[in-house]
Every structure is written in C-alpha cells, then in structure tokens.
Amino acid sequence: KSDQETRTNAIQLTTGVPGVPIRFDNNTIVPIPDASAQGASSTIIVTNVTGAIGKVVVSLHLTHTFDGDLRLQLIGPDGTTVLLSGNNGGAGDNYGSSCSPDGNRTTFDDTGTNSLGGGMPPFAGTFKPDQPLSVFVGKSGGGANGTWQLHVIDDFLIDTGSIQCWSLFLSPSTCTPGDGECPGVDLT
C-alpha cells in the first residue's frame, strides 16, 4: 500500500513583452439603433499580423444622449468578445469628445487606472475596460487577422447616437535575447 500519487498540472506562462502597437482605424459614422438587441457594428479588417498578440487597446468616440443605455463590446475575428463598458455613465452624454486628437477619445486599456463606473461622461482619457482585453493575448493567425468589430447595443428607448470613429491598437509579442521561449512570436 502506498500513500504517494502522481499528478500532472498544466501551467501557462505568458512570455515576451508587447511590441510597438500597430494602428487600425475606422472613421465611418454608424448610427446606433434605439432599443435594439441587434445593436450596431463598426468593423476593422486586420491583416499582416504575423505573430501572437501581446496587447490590445481600443480608442473611440461615440455620441449618445444617455450613456447608461449602452453596452460596448469588442469582438475579435474568432468571436472572442470583451465587454468594454456595460451601461456606465447614467444620463451623461457621449464617450469621448471628438475623434481627434486621440486624447479626446475614450481609450480602453487594461493598464488604465480609472474605471468608467467611477468616471463622468464623456470619459475622455484612458480607462480600464469592464472585462480585460488580455483575453486576446497570445492569439495569432485567424485569432488576430480578420474582421474585428466594435459592437454597441442600446438597451432602452428614446435616446439615440452613433459611433463616430474608433481605432484598434494591436501590439505583437516580442522577445529579447535570453528570455527563453517566446511562443507565438514566430508564427506565420
């Protein structure tokens, strides 16, 4: 009789650091349907990302007369969905104050120190998304290249608005000599 047993534990370690971000833009105005579960989608086609994603940042400006009605989502090419903002802002207006310069937009970054729940519209500056964008880290191939969507749903009647512009910043994972393995960096 033995009191010993064998176990296997899988551990995933993220290696590498985010490289220089690649910027993708959409400046086409898209109306947000009032009280529609279908919502509105604005798309960006991403190509030529040859390695794994190391970081994702989203920057946007949208107009709306009651921010608390809105749910903002980022949807990756493989269907991965992140809630950027869920019904934040109460009766305040807009996300960001203009498309340019970027500092006038609402920027979602996992390293943001402010949450939208503690902010006031128009939320100009950098904020932590309601769900982490880090779920995209390590994605490559069809998980990085393809159609990305900014999807906005207006949950309640009366107030309306539109997506004015948005940008997607994808930073590839990069490795420095001596760091050991850096999975995904050499994927094509």
Side-chain angles (χ1 to χ4, degrees):
K1 191 170 180 178
S2 173
D3 62 352
Q4 305 295 313
E5 63 182 67
T6 302
R7 291 185 183 218
T8 303
N9 293 319
I11 299 172
Q12 181 177 350
L13 300 174
T14 303
T15 60
V17 295
V20 176
I22 304 166
R23 181 182 184 137
F24 301 90
D25 298 300
N26 186 328
N27 295 308
T28 303
I29 296 172
V30 177
I32 302 166
D34 193 23
S36 167
Q38 186 174 4
S41 286
S42 177
T43 61
I44 289 177
I45 306 294
V46 170
T47 59
N48 299 321
V49 174
T50 57
I53 294 173
K55 182 175 182 172
V56 173
V57 174
V58 177
S59 178
L60 58 87
H61 170 54
L62 65 83
T63 57
H64 197 274
T65 53
F66 201 100
D67 286 355
D69 287 1
L70 302 178
R71 285 184 287 138
L72 285 63
Q73 302 170 317
L74 178 65
I75 304 171
D78 64 358
T80 300
T81 302
V82 168
L83 181 66
L84 300 171
S85 177
N87 306 102
N88 291 302
D93 296 352
N94 306 331
Y95 279 78
S97 57
S98 67
C99 289
S100 181
D102 284 352
N104 289 342
R105 295 177 176 204
T106 302
T107 298
F108 295 96
D109 185 335
D110 286 347
T111 62
T113 56
N114 300 314
S115 70
L116 290 174
M120 293 295 296
F123 304 119
T126 302
F127 296 86
K128 187 177 291 292
D130 285 0
Q131 294 178 331
L133 289 161
S134 61
V135 298
F136 294 110
V137 171
K139 291 189 181 285
S140 60
N145 293 289
T147 303
W148 290 74
Q149 298 176 62
L150 173 64
H151 188 71
V152 181
I153 299 168
D154 182 337
D155 287 326
F156 302 99
L157 283 171
I158 300 174
D159 296 282
T160 61
S162 60
I163 301 167
Q164 299 292 309
C165 60
W166 72 289
S167 300
L168 178 65
F169 299 87
L170 299 179
S171 298
S173 286
T174 60
C175 292
T176 56
D179 281 347
E181 289 187 42
C182 193
V185 172
D186 58 354
L187 294 175
T188 55

